[in-house]
Amino acid sequence: MNAKQMIAVLLLPVFFLTGCASIVGKDMFPLTINSNPDGATVLIKDENGLKVYSGTTPTTAPLAAGEAYFHAKTYNITLSKQGYTDQYIQVKATLSGWYFGNILFGGLIGLLIVDPITGKMWKLKSNVWGELTPNKTALNQSKHTLKIMTLSQIPKDMRKDLVSLN
């Protein structure tokens, strides 16, 4: 057996002790959060209700896609801005395509142990967009209003201030 074959035989077990997603996957995923209008407050909580990030749009939050054994992360995002209705967005981790590389390279150890334990079998989307809608009460907070009345509805002491529109 020559040196190249000897190295190949020695490295072969290494491929079976690793997971494909663990080799090429990521620990953290940058989630870019935008809103219309800009300047919305962002609050991100995990599925346990723990605050993991806060900021103002546009922003990018580094989030983990998985934790524990075979557990994908779920995040609840709240976008809020004064004068607008809060918007709630849920982001769930999905299975990474790299995880299936274990069928060819990582074997059962990568498929059932390494990738599930490291959490790298999961991935998160990269962008979230929030479209905030104005509150109905915010639309009616103007100090200037137009109210149409008949002359009989106007108090007599205010009638002297009326201006005729001919």
Side-chain angles (χ1 to χ4, degrees):
M1 187 179 294
N2 66 29
K4 287 182 181 180
Q5 290 172 330
M6 180 70 80
I7 291 171
V9 169
L10 292 174
L11 289 178
L12 189 60
V14 172
F15 286 108
F16 292 104
L17 294 175
T18 61
C20 206
S22 295
I23 295 169
V24 294
K26 298 188 285 185
D27 287 336
M28 301 298 281
F29 290 82
L31 178 66
T32 301
I33 305 161
N34 289 291
S35 68
N36 183 27
D38 282 346
T41 300
V42 177
L43 177 62
I44 303 176
K45 293 182 178 181
D46 67 9
E47 63 268 12
N48 299 318
L50 297 173
K51 177 180 157 184
V52 295
Y53 184 84
S54 64
T56 305
T57 61
T59 188
T60 301
L63 301 173
E67 69 175 4
Y69 190 69
F70 278 106
H71 179 77
K73 295 287 286 183
T74 299
Y75 296 98
N76 297 303
I77 302 169
T78 303
L79 298 175
S80 57
K81 185 168 183 156
Q82 187 173 2
Y84 293 86
T85 303
D86 289 355
Q87 183 175 18
Y88 303 97
I89 302 168
Q90 190 173 69
V91 175
K92 294 181 178 184
T94 57
L95 206 54
S96 169
W98 289 113
Y99 177 64
F100 297 107
N102 285 306
I103 295 169
L104 298 174
F105 299 110
L108 286 177
I109 293 174
L111 205 70
L112 300 175
I113 298 173
V114 179
D115 286 351
I117 287 175
T118 63
K120 289 186 176 181
M121 67 185 287
W122 307 106
K123 66 178 180 173
L124 285 173
K125 62 168 55 178
S126 60
N127 293 300
V128 169
W129 180 265
E131 190 70 37
L132 299 174
T133 55
N135 283 337
K136 291 180 182 175
T137 56
L139 294 174
N140 296 327
Q141 289 179 349
S142 172
K143 293 180 181 177
H144 305 287
T145 58
L146 174 65
K147 187 172 184 181
I148 299 174
M149 305 171 79
T150 63
L151 188 59
S152 63
Q153 293 173 311
I154 299 173
K156 289 183 181 180
D157 63 318
M158 294 180 75
R159 290 182 191 174
K160 66 181 180 334
D161 297 323
L162 294 176
V163 176
S164 177
L165 299 174
N166 290 334

